[in-house]
Amino acid sequence: MMAMGDRDATEALRAEIGVDAEAAGALPERARESQPDQTLPDDVMIILPVRNMVLFPTMVVPLAVGRDGSVTAAQEAAKRERPLGIVLQRDAAIDAPGPDDMYKVGTLANVVRYVTAPDGSHHIVCQGIERFRIIDFVSGYPFMAARVDRIAAADAPESAETEAKAQLLRERATAAFHLLPQIPQEIVAAIQSITSGSVLADAVAALMDLKIQEKQEVLEIEDVDARLDRVLTLLNHRIAVLRISREIGEQTKESMDERQREFILREQMRQIRKELGEEDDKAREIAELTDAISKADMPEEAEKQALKELKRLERMPEAAAEYSMVRTYLDTLIELPWAVADAAAIDIARAREILDADHYGLEKVKRRILEFLAVRKLAPEGKSPILCFVGPPGVGKTSLGQSIARAMDRQFVRASLGGVHDEAEIRGHRRTYIGALPGTIIQSIRKAGSRDCVFMLDEMDKLGTSGFHGDPSSALLEVLDPEQNSTFRDNYLGVPFDLSRVFFIGTANVLDGIPGPLRDRMEVIDLAGYTEDEKLEIATRYLVRRQLEANGLSDEQCEITEAALRAIIRGYTREAGCRNLERQIGAVFRRVAMQVAEGAAEHVRIDASDLHAILGALKFENEVAMRTSVAGVATGLAWTPSGGDILFVEAARVPGSGKLILTGQLGDVMKESAQAALSLVKARAERLGLKDVAFDKLDIHIHVPAGAIPKDGPSAGVAMFTALVSLLSDLPVREDLAMTGEISLRGLVLPIGGVKEKVVAAARAGIRTVMLPARNRKDLEDVPASARDQVRFVWLETVDDATRAALHGEVATA
């Protein structure tokens, strides 16, 4: 039984929550009328499951009753004036808890008041009586019911030790209340008046801000001394937290705005976590960043900048907009490969094997690469040259870079410069801009994870021009210049980064598209187109195998003959590289894959005769014999960005007044070549046997077919002169002969460029004799041996040499 002071404390608690003691047991009439007339055995208790609330003996609390079973249970208890078993359910999310969802220890309580609100909601006020333990649940009622074992409070007088613990708890509870703002004095007086240690422990536990599981733990402790010890432990911890919170609040309450308030709350949380022994995420993050910076092996300037930003991050709240920006910047600095790893020894023999295995031909290019590797092996600290591979698409520029990286045992990264028009894409954005990022160079090196990687700058001839976004080609100067790239400064980083150990390789289709200052810093290596024999070897070694795997075929399922490959090369592709060749091989294999997948065949052999049904009619035929079978047509050689090609110069004469008509989308240079050729023919008419030709009564029409394609360049003079002489003398040009070269009005044949590409194109088109300017003899060594072996060369000093070889068959190959 409670002492008189205990009853007073209970009355104070009742008054605090607004409970009328005289209304205990009152049940509204509507509630009484709605209850079924059903009796319960004396040993069966009505159970009311509750969420997130633990009722202690002698405590008075209001409850909102919402579930149907709970409403029925509360009404039955109020109607029968029977105690109600208040039991906490383990998971608050369960709407219909079962026996396994309930704790086994609860509190018997009297229903002091039952109220049905105007909105239809039900409320009760309960006063705890004593603890009980559930033995088993009883079914058959519209509410939960169970047989219970009551845990009565001890009637024996409390020991001196218990009274001492109760007195200490009373003092500690009073101290805790004084740390709380606006605590009702009635609560403090009620606690002071409680004399029973058991009631005091329950009252303090009920009033403390504890986790619901901790309150249930206190409820389940039957021994008074053990319960007092547990409540004292929890209360001491709470007092420590309250004191720290008050100290922090007193230190930081002056000049508080919204941001300061947020910082204070986070600082309080940090201090609380520190006192609780919990790990501080931000402190751990700062410690990890500090350790990472020390291990990144940054230069002094970069490390100083990183530590400066780290201090800013430490003072900054995590919710600040700039927090993620600073963190991203620090991550970038940390992840950059500032230190150079110990490079593996370069094996020249292994490098030669890799280059030979990956690429067929290209002997000059391979030799230059091996020379570079040899120099790097002997002088590891030397400055890396900037190689630039220039050639048509599909000749293997990018794959050469990958082979170099494999031969050097280095990481390979590639960045395409095609269409880059913003200088910030090279140098990076300043961090003052939203969404700022490092430039392409720094991002790629960060991705490679190595400062001595092989870096390929692809499509350099397609770099954007200067504009209001800056000049990206000028930004590349600092990247590629060995004299200054050791201190390359990215705008995002704000500190220098050493690029001198990076092996840069550039690629381009046309050298003229690269700005002069940028071209001056690179060593240009030309990659000419492949001859028919080289394409056959490349297809046999690489393309067939790659396309078989790409289309899910094996050697046992598909076979393609050498004749078929040659037919594809000659009749279905006309290019310097091998990209279209690989596409056509892939088209053939796709047809085979369809037959194998349908079960129509297990093994298919593709020969030249099968290509028409798969690829259609020939796309390219030998037009040289057909076009040059009449007088007035000459076969010329031209250079294009995709390699060499042949073109036809056609001339016709009609009665007129001596005009020169030019068609075929000719540029200014070719128009001037045509005018010079006609003037030269007129000047040499008697020597050429054309003295009877009345030029003033003829209109000469020169046409270069494929008029939709613009054509220009200083190499068509010889072809135009020969076509005019053939027309006026009515002698056809030899069908297996092609020519290139520019002429002067004195009849000299001037040297031209692109000899290698033009000779390869002539060999590819089936030309057997090529006329070249004599001053281009030195360029013959650049022509692949396979192309040189297929054609004969006629060296032209004057136009007379051209007419003798082209019209009269006097071929001298000296």
Side-chain angles (χ1 to χ4, degrees):
M1 297 295 294
M2 291 179 54
M4 189 62 188
D6 301 335
R7 293 194 181 95
D8 293 341
T10 302
E11 294 302 326
L13 292 173
R14 285 183 175 180
E16 178 62 25
I17 61 174
V19 176
D20 185 0
E22 296 179 358
L27 178 68
E29 291 298 323
R30 58 185 295 186
R32 293 178 181 270
E33 294 172 358
S34 64
Q35 300 302 315
D37 190 9
Q38 187 176 13
T39 60
L40 287 171
D42 292 338
D43 61 339
V44 175
M45 188 70 62
I46 300 172
I47 302 299
L48 179 65
V50 294
R51 297 184 176 105
N52 299 324
M53 194 278 293
V54 174
L55 176 65
F56 288 88
T58 73
M59 297 296 103
V60 180
V61 295
L63 290 175
V65 184
R67 293 177 282 198
D68 293 339
S70 298
V71 172
T72 303
Q75 291 175 349
E76 182 70 8
K79 175 182 177 182
R80 304 297 180 186
E81 297 184 354
R82 296 192 57 164
L84 191 63
I86 308 298
V87 182
L88 176 67
Q89 65 184 62
R90 297 181 183 276
D91 187 356
I94 299 176
D95 288 329
D100 294 334
D101 301 321
M102 311 292 293
Y103 283 94
K104 298 304 180 183
V105 176
T107 302
L108 292 178
N110 287 327
V111 179
V112 178
R113 173 178 290 183
Y114 187 106
V115 178
T116 302
D119 61 357
S121 60
H122 300 271
H123 305 269
I124 61 173
V125 178
C126 297
Q127 181 178 12
I129 303 174
E130 61 184 359
R131 291 173 171 78
F132 70 91
R133 188 180 304 278
I134 295 175
I135 299 174
D136 59 3
F137 283 85
V138 179
S139 59
Y141 298 94
F143 43 77
M144 295 187 72
R147 292 185 178 87
V148 301
D149 182 15
R150 299 192 179 199
I151 305 173
D155 294 332
E158 295 178 346
S159 64
E161 182 180 356
T162 302
E163 291 181 0
K165 290 180 180 180
Q167 179 61 29
L168 179 60
L169 178 59
R170 194 177 297 109
E171 293 173 357
R172 302 297 291 170
T174 303
F177 289 146
H178 289 159
L179 292 173
L180 295 173
Q182 300 178 352
I183 188 71
Q185 292 301 317
E186 292 81 0
I187 297 296
V188 178
I191 293 299
Q192 291 290 343
S193 63
I194 296 176
T195 59
S196 169
S198 175
V199 175
L200 180 63
D202 292 343
V204 173
L207 294 173
M208 283 175 61
D209 183 16
L210 300 176
K211 296 178 181 178
I212 196 66
Q213 291 81 2
E214 293 176 335
K215 289 190 176 184
Q216 179 66 26
E217 177 187 355
V218 173
L219 180 67
E220 293 178 359
I221 299 175
E222 298 179 12
D223 183 71
V224 177
D225 287 345
R227 196 187 314 157
L228 286 170
D229 291 337
R230 181 57 181 160
V231 175
L232 272 170
T233 301
L234 295 172
L235 183 59
N236 287 333
H237 175 74
R238 183 60 182 163
I239 289 174
V241 173
L242 291 174
R243 284 178 175 172
I244 294 172
S245 178
R246 169 168 288 190
E247 291 173 2
I248 296 173
E250 290 175 352
Q251 294 172 1
T252 58
K253 66 181 180 181
E254 297 180 358
S255 63
M256 181 188 303
D257 58 12
E258 189 63 27
R259 182 170 294 183
Q260 288 174 322
R261 179 176 178 274
E262 184 178 352
F263 170 77
I264 291 168
L265 291 175
R266 293 187 180 279
E267 184 66 18
Q268 289 176 337
M269 185 181 299
R270 187 179 70 82
Q271 293 290 345
I272 291 170
R273 286 177 175 174
K274 182 178 179 181
E275 291 297 326
L276 294 177
E278 297 179 359
E279 192 173 13
D280 187 344
D281 293 339
K282 185 174 181 181
R284 186 183 70 252
E285 180 182 8
I286 297 298
E288 290 175 354
L289 288 173
T290 304
D291 184 59
I293 291 173
S294 64
K295 293 180 180 179
D297 200 12
M298 301 181 189
E300 182 179 354
E301 183 177 352
E303 185 173 1
K304 182 178 179 181
Q305 178 69 14
L307 293 176
K308 178 181 177 182
E309 293 297 327
L310 182 62
K311 290 181 179 179
R312 287 185 59 210
L313 187 73
E314 190 174 6
R315 297 192 300 266
M316 197 180 299
E318 294 183 11
E322 200 177 355
Y323 186 90
S324 61
M325 296 171 58
V326 177
R327 176 60 198 265
T328 303
Y329 175 72
L330 287 174
D331 288 341
T332 302
L333 287 179
I334 291 170
E335 294 176 9
L336 279 175
W338 298 95
V340 177
D342 294 335
I346 298 176
D347 188 342
I348 303 298
R350 176 176 174 272
R352 181 181 287 107
E353 292 176 359
I354 291 174
L355 292 173
D356 290 339
D358 292 348
H359 297 85
Y360 177 78
L362 305 178
E363 299 302 329
K364 183 178 179 180
V365 178
K366 293 178 184 177
R367 184 173 66 251
R368 178 62 187 91
I369 294 172
L370 291 173
E371 290 172 356
F372 160 76
L373 295 178
V375 172
R376 176 49 61 95
K377 180 177 182 179
L378 298 177
E381 302 300 325
K383 296 179 180 178
S384 299
I386 312 299
L387 302 182
C388 182
F389 298 141
V390 178
V395 295
K397 300 185 294 295
T398 302
S399 60
L400 269 174
Q402 295 172 340
S403 298
I404 293 173
R406 198 154 66 94
M408 299 178 67
D409 199 18
R410 294 189 181 187
Q411 292 292 327
F412 176 80
V413 289
R414 173 180 172 272
S416 178
L417 301 180
V420 173
H421 63 279
D422 192 346
E423 181 181 337
E425 295 188 50
I426 305 297
R427 289 187 181 275
H429 303 80
R430 299 189 185 278
R431 285 188 290 130
T432 53
Y433 295 102
I434 296 176
L437 289 171
T440 301
I441 306 299
I442 295 299
Q443 286 191 54
S444 300
I445 292 178
R446 176 185 177 184
K447 180 180 178 182
S450 173
R451 192 158 62 84
D452 56 355
C453 59
V454 176
F455 197 130
M456 174 161 283
L457 298 170
D458 224 347
E459 309 292 351
M460 295 190 67
D461 55 331
K462 300 176 181 61
L463 197 65
T465 57
S466 60
F468 68 93
H469 288 295
D471 186 0
S473 62
S474 298
L476 273 179
L477 294 178
E478 186 181 358
V479 175
L480 300 180
D481 192 344
E483 299 298 329
Q484 55 181 323
N485 64 3
S486 59
T487 57
F488 173 72
R489 187 178 292 269
D490 186 275
N491 290 331
Y492 181 82
L493 296 182
V495 293
F497 188 85
D498 187 1
L499 299 178
S500 61
R501 301 287 296 180
V502 179
F503 180 28
F504 286 104
I505 302 175
T507 71
N509 298 132
V510 184
L511 190 60
D512 295 339
I514 305 176
L518 200 57
R519 190 191 322 160
D520 183 59
R521 285 164 171 79
M522 297 185 294
E523 178 181 342
V524 177
I525 299 178
D526 291 318
L527 278 75
Y530 297 110
T531 63
E532 179 181 316
D533 291 338
E534 289 175 334
K535 287 185 178 181
L536 180 63
E537 285 291 337
I538 292 172
T540 304
R541 295 186 183 196
Y542 311 109
L543 305 186
V544 170
R545 170 60 51 195
R546 195 154 61 205
Q547 285 301 313
L548 281 174
E549 294 176 356
N551 290 282
L553 297 172
S554 64
D555 295 334
E556 292 74 19
Q557 294 171 322
C558 181
E559 177 187 357
I560 185 168
T561 64
E562 180 179 323
L565 291 175
R566 285 192 182 274
I568 294 175
I569 295 169
R570 291 173 180 172
Y572 294 94
T573 63
R574 180 168 290 178
E575 57 176 343
C578 297
R579 286 184 181 171
N580 285 329
L581 174 59
E582 185 171 4
R583 292 190 187 101
Q584 296 299 331
I585 294 174
V588 172
F589 288 168
R590 285 195 297 272
R591 180 68 63 89
V592 175
M594 185 173 67
Q595 296 178 13
V596 173
E598 290 177 343
E602 295 182 358
H603 176 80
V604 180
R605 186 174 186 270
I606 303 296
D607 206 347
S609 59
D610 303 320
L611 296 179
H612 185 277
I614 300 175
L615 301 178
L618 294 176
K619 297 180 181 178
F620 303 100
E621 298 185 68
N622 190 354
E623 300 178 279
V624 178
M626 179 182 64
R627 294 223 183 186
T628 58
S629 60
V630 297
V633 180
T635 305
L637 296 174
W639 179 91
T640 68
S642 60
D645 202 356
I646 62 172
L647 56 83
F648 299 98
V649 178
E650 300 177 349
R653 60 181 178 178
V654 294
S657 57
K659 293 187 297 183
L660 176 63
I661 304 171
L662 303 174
T663 56
Q665 285 276 38
L666 304 183
D668 292 337
V669 177
M670 292 190 71
K671 290 178 181 178
E672 293 174 357
S673 296
Q675 292 169 352
L678 180 58
S679 298
L680 187 58
V681 170
K682 290 178 180 180
R684 292 176 171 246
E686 184 174 353
R687 185 185 304 181
L688 296 170
L690 306 174
K691 61 180 180 179
D692 296 332
V693 177
F695 289 99
D696 57 341
K697 295 180 180 180
L698 295 175
D699 285 346
I700 303 297
H701 186 174
I702 296 178
H703 176 66
V704 181
I709 303 173
K711 312 171 192 71
D712 202 6
S715 62
V718 171
M720 289 182 174
F721 177 83
T722 304
L724 289 174
V725 174
S726 171
L727 171 69
L728 297 173
S729 63
D730 200 22
L731 293 174
V733 178
R734 289 179 53 190
E735 63 183 30
D736 64 342
L737 182 143
M739 63 201 73
T740 182
E742 195 52 82
I743 60 173
S744 70
L745 290 178
R746 295 183 297 157
L748 298 177
V749 179
L750 305 178
I752 45 83
V755 172
K756 177 172 51 178
E757 290 82 359
K758 293 176 181 179
V759 173
V760 170
R764 187 168 60 239
I767 300 295
R768 293 292 172 260
T769 303
V770 175
M771 298 196 304
L772 295 173
R775 291 163 64 181
N776 282 114
R777 283 179 184 268
K778 64 183 185 304
D779 299 317
L780 193 61
E781 63 181 22
D782 295 334
V783 179
S786 57
R788 291 201 306 265
D789 295 340
Q790 292 183 41
V791 299
R792 293 178 299 171
F793 296 95
V794 177
W795 302 103
L796 307 177
E797 294 283 354
T798 65
V799 293
D800 296 330
D801 299 330
T803 55
R804 284 196 299 268
L807 302 177
H808 305 292
E810 299 177 11
V811 178
T813 59

